[in-house]
Structures are given as structure tokens and as C-alpha cells.
PDB file of all heavy atoms in Angstrom:
ATOM      1  N   LEU A   1       0.859  -1.179   0.000  1.00  0.00           N
ATOM      2  CA  LEU A   1       0.000   0.000   0.000  1.00  0.00           C
ATOM      3  C   LEU A   1       0.894   1.226   0.000  1.00  0.00           C
ATOM      4  O   LEU A   1       1.710   1.417   0.902  1.00  0.00           O
ATOM      5  CB  LEU A   1      -0.902   0.022   1.236  1.00  0.00           C
ATOM      6  CG  LEU A   1      -1.724   1.302   1.443  1.00  0.00           C
ATOM      7  CD1 LEU A   1      -2.752   1.478   0.326  1.00  0.00           C
ATOM      8  CD2 LEU A   1      -2.410   1.299   2.805  1.00  0.00           C
ATOM      9  N   VAL A   2       0.766   2.053  -1.027  1.00  0.00           N
ATOM     10  CA  VAL A   2       1.608   3.243  -1.165  1.00  0.00           C
ATOM     11  C   VAL A   2       0.784   4.487  -0.863  1.00  0.00           C
ATOM     12  O   VAL A   2      -0.375   4.596  -1.257  1.00  0.00           O
ATOM     13  CB  VAL A   2       2.209   3.331  -2.587  1.00  0.00           C
ATOM     14  CG1 VAL A   2       3.120   4.551  -2.715  1.00  0.00           C
ATOM     15  CG2 VAL A   2       2.984   2.060  -2.911  1.00  0.00           C
ATOM     16  N   SER A   3       1.389   5.428  -0.172  1.00  0.00           N
ATOM     17  CA  SER A   3       0.729   6.693   0.163  1.00  0.00           C
ATOM     18  C   SER A   3       0.186   7.379  -1.080  1.00  0.00           C
ATOM     19  O   SER A   3       0.705   7.209  -2.189  1.00  0.00           O
ATOM     20  CB  SER A   3       1.736   7.608   0.862  1.00  0.00           C
ATOM     21  OG  SER A   3       1.265   8.928   0.921  1.00  0.00           O
ATOM     22  N   ASP A   4      -0.849   8.169  -0.889  1.00  0.00           N
ATOM     23  CA  ASP A   4      -1.432   8.912  -2.008  1.00  0.00           C
ATOM     24  C   ASP A   4      -0.450   9.900  -2.629  1.00  0.00           C
ATOM     25  O   ASP A   4      -0.563  10.236  -3.813  1.00  0.00           O
ATOM     26  CB  ASP A   4      -2.679   9.672  -1.542  1.00  0.00           C
ATOM     27  CG  ASP A   4      -3.792   8.733  -1.109  1.00  0.00           C
ATOM     28  OD1 ASP A   4      -4.054   7.761  -1.833  1.00  0.00           O
ATOM     29  OD2 ASP A   4      -4.389   8.969  -0.048  1.00  0.00           O
ATOM     30  N   VAL A   5       0.539  10.355  -1.857  1.00  0.00           N
ATOM     31  CA  VAL A   5       1.525  11.300  -2.396  1.00  0.00           C
ATOM     32  C   VAL A   5       2.707  10.581  -3.035  1.00  0.00           C
ATOM     33  O   VAL A   5       3.583  11.218  -3.624  1.00  0.00           O
ATOM     34  CB  VAL A   5       2.039  12.270  -1.306  1.00  0.00           C
ATOM     35  CG1 VAL A   5       0.899  13.087  -0.755  1.00  0.00           C
ATOM     36  CG2 VAL A   5       2.757  11.514  -0.188  1.00  0.00           C
ATOM     37  N   GLY A   6       2.716   9.241  -2.941  1.00  0.00           N
ATOM     38  CA  GLY A   6       3.795   8.472  -3.547  1.00  0.00           C
ATOM     39  C   GLY A   6       4.856   8.075  -2.544  1.00  0.00           C
ATOM     40  O   GLY A   6       4.698   8.270  -1.332  1.00  0.00           O
ATOM     41  N   ALA A   7       5.949   7.520  -3.047  1.00  0.00           N
ATOM     42  CA  ALA A   7       7.024   7.045  -2.180  1.00  0.00           C
ATOM     43  C   ALA A   7       8.377   7.478  -2.734  1.00  0.00           C
ATOM     44  O   ALA A   7       8.627   7.356  -3.932  1.00  0.00           O
ATOM     45  CB  ALA A   7       6.981   5.519  -2.071  1.00  0.00           C
ATOM     46  N   PRO A   8       9.258   7.980  -1.861  1.00  0.00           N
ATOM     47  CA  PRO A   8      10.589   8.371  -2.315  1.00  0.00           C
ATOM     48  C   PRO A   8      11.482   7.157  -2.506  1.00  0.00           C
ATOM     49  O   PRO A   8      11.156   6.047  -2.063  1.00  0.00           O
ATOM     50  CB  PRO A   8      11.100   9.243  -1.160  1.00  0.00           C
ATOM     51  CG  PRO A   8      10.420   8.665   0.053  1.00  0.00           C
ATOM     52  CD  PRO A   8       9.057   8.240  -0.422  1.00  0.00           C
ATOM     53  N   GLY A   9      12.609   7.366  -3.164  1.00  0.00           N
ATOM     54  CA  GLY A   9      13.572   6.291  -3.314  1.00  0.00           C
ATOM     55  C   GLY A   9      13.337   5.444  -4.549  1.00  0.00           C
ATOM     56  O   GLY A   9      12.637   5.844  -5.483  1.00  0.00           O
ATOM     57  N   LEU A  10      13.927   4.259  -4.532  1.00  0.00           N
ATOM     58  CA  LEU A  10      13.903   3.362  -5.695  1.00  0.00           C
ATOM     59  C   LEU A  10      13.218   2.051  -5.354  1.00  0.00           C
ATOM     60  O   LEU A  10      13.532   1.427  -4.341  1.00  0.00           O
ATOM     61  CB  LEU A  10      15.329   3.109  -6.179  1.00  0.00           C
ATOM     62  CG  LEU A  10      15.497   2.222  -7.413  1.00  0.00           C
ATOM     63  CD1 LEU A  10      16.613   2.766  -8.320  1.00  0.00           C
ATOM     64  CD2 LEU A  10      15.818   0.777  -7.030  1.00  0.00           C
ATOM     65  N   ALA A  11      12.279   1.658  -6.202  1.00  0.00           N
ATOM     66  CA  ALA A  11      11.647   0.337  -6.078  1.00  0.00           C
ATOM     67  C   ALA A  11      12.362  -0.613  -7.023  1.00  0.00           C
ATOM     68  O   ALA A  11      12.431  -0.372  -8.232  1.00  0.00           O
ATOM     69  CB  ALA A  11      10.169   0.428  -6.423  1.00  0.00           C
ATOM     70  N   LEU A  12      12.915  -1.676  -6.478  1.00  0.00           N
ATOM     71  CA  LEU A  12      13.642  -2.680  -7.251  1.00  0.00           C
ATOM     72  C   LEU A  12      12.704  -3.840  -7.558  1.00  0.00           C
ATOM     73  O   LEU A  12      12.174  -4.469  -6.638  1.00  0.00           O
ATOM     74  CB  LEU A  12      14.843  -3.176  -6.452  1.00  0.00           C
ATOM     75  CG  LEU A  12      15.711  -4.246  -7.108  1.00  0.00           C
ATOM     76  CD1 LEU A  12      16.521  -3.646  -8.254  1.00  0.00           C
ATOM     77  CD2 LEU A  12      16.640  -4.887  -6.067  1.00  0.00           C
ATOM     78  N   GLN A  13      12.488  -4.107  -8.831  1.00  0.00           N
ATOM     79  CA  GLN A  13      11.602  -5.198  -9.222  1.00  0.00           C
ATOM     80  C   GLN A  13      12.389  -6.211 -10.063  1.00  0.00           C
ATOM     81  O   GLN A  13      12.845  -5.897 -11.169  1.00  0.00           O
ATOM     82  CB  GLN A  13      10.402  -4.669 -10.001  1.00  0.00           C
ATOM     83  CG  GLN A  13       9.308  -5.717 -10.200  1.00  0.00           C
ATOM     84  CD  GLN A  13       8.032  -5.118 -10.758  1.00  0.00           C
ATOM     85  OE1 GLN A  13       8.065  -4.252 -11.618  1.00  0.00           O
ATOM     86  NE2 GLN A  13       6.893  -5.587 -10.262  1.00  0.00           N
ATOM     87  N   LEU A  14      12.552  -7.411  -9.527  1.00  0.00           N
ATOM     88  CA  LEU A  14      13.318  -8.458 -10.207  1.00  0.00           C
ATOM     89  C   LEU A  14      12.364  -9.290 -11.054  1.00  0.00           C
ATOM     90  O   LEU A  14      12.033 -10.426 -10.722  1.00  0.00           O
ATOM     91  CB  LEU A  14      14.048  -9.322  -9.174  1.00  0.00           C
ATOM     92  CG  LEU A  14      15.016  -8.579  -8.245  1.00  0.00           C
ATOM     93  CD1 LEU A  14      15.642  -9.528  -7.241  1.00  0.00           C
ATOM     94  CD2 LEU A  14      16.089  -7.853  -9.043  1.00  0.00           C
ATOM     95  N   CYS A  15      11.936  -8.708 -12.167  1.00  0.00           N
ATOM     96  CA  CYS A  15      10.913  -9.340 -12.995  1.00  0.00           C
ATOM     97  C   CYS A  15      11.396  -9.660 -14.406  1.00  0.00           C
ATOM     98  O   CYS A  15      10.629 -10.177 -15.222  1.00  0.00           O
ATOM     99  CB  CYS A  15       9.670  -8.461 -13.069  1.00  0.00           C
ATOM    100  SG  CYS A  15       9.986  -6.822 -13.776  1.00  0.00           S
ATOM    101  N   GLU A  16      12.647  -9.371 -14.706  1.00  0.00           N
ATOM    102  CA  GLU A  16      13.194  -9.690 -16.022  1.00  0.00           C
ATOM    103  C   GLU A  16      13.518 -11.181 -16.100  1.00  0.00           C
ATOM    104  O   GLU A  16      13.621 -11.864 -15.071  1.00  0.00           O
ATOM    105  CB  GLU A  16      14.445  -8.842 -16.290  1.00  0.00           C
ATOM    106  CG  GLU A  16      14.168  -7.351 -16.432  1.00  0.00           C
ATOM    107  CD  GLU A  16      13.303  -7.033 -17.637  1.00  0.00           C
ATOM    108  OE1 GLU A  16      13.557  -7.591 -18.725  1.00  0.00           O
ATOM    109  OE2 GLU A  16      12.357  -6.230 -17.488  1.00  0.00           O
ATOM    110  N   PRO A  17      13.655 -11.733 -17.313  1.00  0.00           N
ATOM    111  CA  PRO A  17      13.857 -13.187 -17.478  1.00  0.00           C
ATOM    112  C   PRO A  17      14.969 -13.782 -16.625  1.00  0.00           C
ATOM    113  O   PRO A  17      14.857 -14.936 -16.165  1.00  0.00           O
ATOM    114  CB  PRO A  17      14.163 -13.317 -18.970  1.00  0.00           C
ATOM    115  CG  PRO A  17      13.413 -12.188 -19.604  1.00  0.00           C
ATOM    116  CD  PRO A  17      13.518 -11.052 -18.628  1.00  0.00           C
ATOM    117  N   ALA A  18      16.053 -13.037 -16.385  1.00  0.00           N
ATOM    118  CA  ALA A  18      17.179 -13.565 -15.611  1.00  0.00           C
ATOM    119  C   ALA A  18      16.779 -13.937 -14.189  1.00  0.00           C
ATOM    120  O   ALA A  18      17.456 -14.745 -13.539  1.00  0.00           O
ATOM    121  CB  ALA A  18      18.308 -12.538 -15.561  1.00  0.00           C
ATOM    122  N   PHE A  19      15.652 -13.365 -13.703  1.00  0.00           N
ATOM    123  CA  PHE A  19      15.228 -13.604 -12.319  1.00  0.00           C
ATOM    124  C   PHE A  19      13.923 -14.398 -12.223  1.00  0.00           C
ATOM    125  O   PHE A  19      13.380 -14.531 -11.128  1.00  0.00           O
ATOM    126  CB  PHE A  19      15.052 -12.265 -11.597  1.00  0.00           C
ATOM    127  CG  PHE A  19      16.311 -11.464 -11.491  1.00  0.00           C
ATOM    128  CD1 PHE A  19      16.539 -10.388 -12.336  1.00  0.00           C
ATOM    129  CD2 PHE A  19      17.280 -11.795 -10.560  1.00  0.00           C
ATOM    130  CE1 PHE A  19      17.705  -9.653 -12.253  1.00  0.00           C
ATOM    131  CE2 PHE A  19      18.454 -11.055 -10.457  1.00  0.00           C
ATOM    132  CZ  PHE A  19      18.670  -9.985 -11.315  1.00  0.00           C
ATOM    133  N   CYS A  20      13.429 -14.902 -13.329  1.00  0.00           N
ATOM    134  CA  CYS A  20      12.111 -15.549 -13.306  1.00  0.00           C
ATOM    135  C   CYS A  20      12.125 -17.018 -13.722  1.00  0.00           C
ATOM    136  O   CYS A  20      11.070 -17.623 -13.854  1.00  0.00           O
ATOM    137  CB  CYS A  20      11.138 -14.775 -14.202  1.00  0.00           C
ATOM    138  SG  CYS A  20      10.776 -13.125 -13.571  1.00  0.00           S
ATOM    139  N   GLY A  21      13.295 -17.574 -13.925  1.00  0.00           N
ATOM    140  CA  GLY A  21      13.365 -18.960 -14.378  1.00  0.00           C
ATOM    141  C   GLY A  21      13.063 -19.972 -13.281  1.00  0.00           C
ATOM    142  O   GLY A  21      13.208 -19.687 -12.091  1.00  0.00           O
ATOM    143  N   ILE A  22      12.616 -21.148 -13.698  1.00  0.00           N
ATOM    144  CA  ILE A  22      12.411 -22.283 -12.796  1.00  0.00           C
ATOM    145  C   ILE A  22      13.067 -23.501 -13.441  1.00  0.00           C
ATOM    146  O   ILE A  22      12.722 -23.871 -14.565  1.00  0.00           O
ATOM    147  CB  ILE A  22      10.914 -22.559 -12.547  1.00  0.00           C
ATOM    148  CG1 ILE A  22      10.266 -21.370 -11.825  1.00  0.00           C
ATOM    149  CG2 ILE A  22      10.729 -23.841 -11.718  1.00  0.00           C
ATOM    150  CD1 ILE A  22       8.763 -21.524 -11.635  1.00  0.00           C
ATOM    151  N   GLU A  23      14.022 -24.105 -12.749  1.00  0.00           N
ATOM    152  CA  GLU A  23      14.744 -25.264 -13.269  1.00  0.00           C
ATOM    153  C   GLU A  23      14.559 -26.446 -12.321  1.00  0.00           C
ATOM    154  O   GLU A  23      14.781 -26.318 -11.120  1.00  0.00           O
ATOM    155  CB  GLU A  23      16.230 -24.949 -13.433  1.00  0.00           C
ATOM    156  CG  GLU A  23      16.525 -23.839 -14.429  1.00  0.00           C
ATOM    157  CD  GLU A  23      18.006 -23.543 -14.549  1.00  0.00           C
ATOM    158  OE1 GLU A  23      18.811 -24.286 -13.941  1.00  0.00           O
ATOM    159  OE2 GLU A  23      18.368 -22.580 -15.252  1.00  0.00           O
ATOM    160  N   VAL A  24      14.161 -27.580 -12.881  1.00  0.00           N
ATOM    161  CA  VAL A  24      13.924 -28.780 -12.082  1.00  0.00           C
ATOM    162  C   VAL A  24      15.005 -29.808 -12.353  1.00  0.00           C
ATOM    163  O   VAL A  24      15.301 -30.129 -13.511  1.00  0.00           O
ATOM    164  CB  VAL A  24      12.548 -29.387 -12.394  1.00  0.00           C
ATOM    165  CG1 VAL A  24      12.348 -30.686 -11.595  1.00  0.00           C
ATOM    166  CG2 VAL A  24      11.436 -28.390 -12.089  1.00  0.00           C
ATOM    167  N   SER A  25      15.629 -30.307 -11.290  1.00  0.00           N
ATOM    168  CA  SER A  25      16.592 -31.397 -11.357  1.00  0.00           C
ATOM    169  C   SER A  25      16.344 -32.251 -10.129  1.00  0.00           C
ATOM    170  O   SER A  25      16.985 -32.077  -9.096  1.00  0.00           O
ATOM    171  CB  SER A  25      18.028 -30.865 -11.386  1.00  0.00           C
ATOM    172  OG  SER A  25      18.963 -31.928 -11.463  1.00  0.00           O
ATOM    173  N   SER A  26      15.365 -33.141 -10.232  1.00  0.00           N
ATOM    174  CA  SER A  26      14.824 -33.891  -9.093  1.00  0.00           C
ATOM    175  C   SER A  26      15.932 -34.451  -8.197  1.00  0.00           C
ATOM    176  O   SER A  26      16.918 -35.002  -8.688  1.00  0.00           O
ATOM    177  CB  SER A  26      13.954 -35.035  -9.609  1.00  0.00           C
ATOM    178  OG  SER A  26      13.320 -35.687  -8.550  1.00  0.00           O
ATOM    179  N   PRO A  27      15.801 -34.275  -6.877  1.00  0.00           N
ATOM    180  CA  PRO A  27      14.654 -33.735  -6.135  1.00  0.00           C
ATOM    181  C   PRO A  27      14.726 -32.218  -5.908  1.00  0.00           C
ATOM    182  O   PRO A  27      14.014 -31.701  -5.062  1.00  0.00           O
ATOM    183  CB  PRO A  27      14.750 -34.470  -4.804  1.00  0.00           C
ATOM    184  CG  PRO A  27      16.232 -34.579  -4.576  1.00  0.00           C
ATOM    185  CD  PRO A  27      16.832 -34.815  -5.941  1.00  0.00           C
ATOM    186  N   TYR A  28      15.587 -31.536  -6.666  1.00  0.00           N
ATOM    187  CA  TYR A  28      15.763 -30.096  -6.457  1.00  0.00           C
ATOM    188  C   TYR A  28      14.997 -29.290  -7.501  1.00  0.00           C
ATOM    189  O   TYR A  28      14.811 -29.729  -8.636  1.00  0.00           O
ATOM    190  CB  TYR A  28      17.244 -29.724  -6.531  1.00  0.00           C
ATOM    191  CG  TYR A  28      18.096 -30.359  -5.463  1.00  0.00           C
ATOM    192  CD1 TYR A  28      18.879 -31.469  -5.751  1.00  0.00           C
ATOM    193  CD2 TYR A  28      18.118 -29.850  -4.162  1.00  0.00           C
ATOM    194  CE1 TYR A  28      19.667 -32.061  -4.769  1.00  0.00           C
ATOM    195  CE2 TYR A  28      18.900 -30.437  -3.176  1.00  0.00           C
ATOM    196  CZ  TYR A  28      19.679 -31.544  -3.486  1.00  0.00           C
ATOM    197  OH  TYR A  28      20.441 -32.123  -2.510  1.00  0.00           O
ATOM    198  N   VAL A  29      14.606 -28.091  -7.107  1.00  0.00           N
ATOM    199  CA  VAL A  29      14.071 -27.114  -8.055  1.00  0.00           C
ATOM    200  C   VAL A  29      14.643 -25.753  -7.672  1.00  0.00           C
ATOM    201  O   VAL A  29      14.657 -25.386  -6.492  1.00  0.00           O
ATOM    202  CB  VAL A  29      12.527 -27.078  -8.066  1.00  0.00           C
ATOM    203  CG1 VAL A  29      11.976 -26.766  -6.685  1.00  0.00           C
ATOM    204  CG2 VAL A  29      12.018 -26.068  -9.069  1.00  0.00           C
ATOM    205  N   THR A  30      15.177 -25.057  -8.659  1.00  0.00           N
ATOM    206  CA  THR A  30      15.757 -23.729  -8.429  1.00  0.00           C
ATOM    207  C   THR A  30      14.883 -22.692  -9.112  1.00  0.00           C
ATOM    208  O   THR A  30      14.525 -22.838 -10.284  1.00  0.00           O
ATOM    209  CB  THR A  30      17.184 -23.657  -8.987  1.00  0.00           C
ATOM    210  OG1 THR A  30      17.995 -24.657  -8.348  1.00  0.00           O
ATOM    211  CG2 THR A  30      17.792 -22.282  -8.721  1.00  0.00           C
ATOM    212  N   ALA A  31      14.529 -21.653  -8.383  1.00  0.00           N
ATOM    213  CA  ALA A  31      13.637 -20.622  -8.918  1.00  0.00           C
ATOM    214  C   ALA A  31      14.233 -19.245  -8.691  1.00  0.00           C
ATOM    215  O   ALA A  31      14.808 -18.970  -7.635  1.00  0.00           O
ATOM    216  CB  ALA A  31      12.262 -20.705  -8.255  1.00  0.00           C
ATOM    217  N   GLY A  32      14.095 -18.387  -9.690  1.00  0.00           N
ATOM    218  CA  GLY A  32      14.525 -17.005  -9.549  1.00  0.00           C
ATOM    219  C   GLY A  32      13.598 -16.239  -8.630  1.00  0.00           C
ATOM    220  O   GLY A  32      12.431 -16.616  -8.435  1.00  0.00           O
ATOM    221  N   ALA A  33      14.098 -15.134  -8.090  1.00  0.00           N
ATOM    222  CA  ALA A  33      13.327 -14.344  -7.128  1.00  0.00           C
ATOM    223  C   ALA A  33      12.022 -13.834  -7.705  1.00  0.00           C
ATOM    224  O   ALA A  33      11.037 -13.683  -6.991  1.00  0.00           O
ATOM    225  CB  ALA A  33      14.163 -13.167  -6.647  1.00  0.00           C
ATOM    226  N   GLY A  34      11.995 -13.577  -9.018  1.00  0.00           N
ATOM    227  CA  GLY A  34      10.798 -13.005  -9.626  1.00  0.00           C
ATOM    228  C   GLY A  34       9.776 -14.010 -10.080  1.00  0.00           C
ATOM    229  O   GLY A  34       8.687 -13.636 -10.536  1.00  0.00           O
ATOM    230  N   ALA A  35      10.078 -15.308  -9.961  1.00  0.00           N
ATOM    231  CA  ALA A  35       9.103 -16.331 -10.355  1.00  0.00           C
ATOM    232  C   ALA A  35       7.894 -16.280  -9.427  1.00  0.00           C
ATOM    233  O   ALA A  35       8.031 -16.125  -8.217  1.00  0.00           O
ATOM    234  CB  ALA A  35       9.750 -17.717 -10.304  1.00  0.00           C
ATOM    235  N   LYS A  36       6.713 -16.412  -9.993  1.00  0.00           N
ATOM    236  CA  LYS A  36       5.483 -16.366  -9.188  1.00  0.00           C
ATOM    237  C   LYS A  36       5.334 -17.669  -8.394  1.00  0.00           C
ATOM    238  O   LYS A  36       5.654 -18.762  -8.875  1.00  0.00           O
ATOM    239  CB  LYS A  36       4.273 -16.164 -10.094  1.00  0.00           C
ATOM    240  CG  LYS A  36       4.306 -14.876 -10.912  1.00  0.00           C
ATOM    241  CD  LYS A  36       4.172 -13.646 -10.026  1.00  0.00           C
ATOM    242  CE  LYS A  36       4.201 -12.364 -10.848  1.00  0.00           C
ATOM    243  NZ  LYS A  36       3.042 -12.222 -11.722  1.00  0.00           N
ATOM    244  N   LEU A  37       4.809 -17.553  -7.177  1.00  0.00           N
ATOM    245  CA  LEU A  37       4.624 -18.731  -6.326  1.00  0.00           C
ATOM    246  C   LEU A  37       3.683 -19.741  -6.968  1.00  0.00           C
ATOM    247  O   LEU A  37       3.904 -20.951  -6.889  1.00  0.00           O
ATOM    248  CB  LEU A  37       4.087 -18.306  -4.962  1.00  0.00           C
ATOM    249  CG  LEU A  37       5.055 -17.511  -4.077  1.00  0.00           C
ATOM    250  CD1 LEU A  37       4.362 -17.071  -2.786  1.00  0.00           C
ATOM    251  CD2 LEU A  37       6.298 -18.332  -3.755  1.00  0.00           C
ATOM    252  N   GLY A  38       2.628 -19.253  -7.615  1.00  0.00           N
ATOM    253  CA  GLY A  38       1.691 -20.164  -8.267  1.00  0.00           C
ATOM    254  C   GLY A  38       2.352 -20.949  -9.385  1.00  0.00           C
ATOM    255  O   GLY A  38       2.071 -22.138  -9.580  1.00  0.00           O
TER     256      GLY A  38
END
């Protein structure tokens, strides 16, 4: 929830492909920070 006047500073969003991959190598799975939980 952001104030109506906005927020100062920088919002970092790790949503580019480098941070959204999911790799499975049973029994392990590696996921980037931006991958959705669903």
C-alpha cells in the first residue's frame, strides 16, 4: 500500500527473465526471485 503522495527512493523489481526462471533437477528445483509462487 503506497501513500497517495507516492514514495521516495527506488523500487527494485526483479521481474526480467534472468530472475524468473524455474529449473527442475529432481529432487531439487531452483527458482529465480521473480518467479510467481503459483
Side-chain angles (χ1 to χ4, degrees):
L1 172 66
V2 182
S3 166
D4 295 315
V5 299
L10 182 141
L12 179 72
Q13 191 170 40
L14 302 178
C15 60
E16 293 296 316
F19 298 102
C20 294
I22 296 176
E23 298 179 6
V24 177
S25 181
S26 186
Y28 297 101
V29 58
T30 301
K36 300 292 180 66
L37 292 176

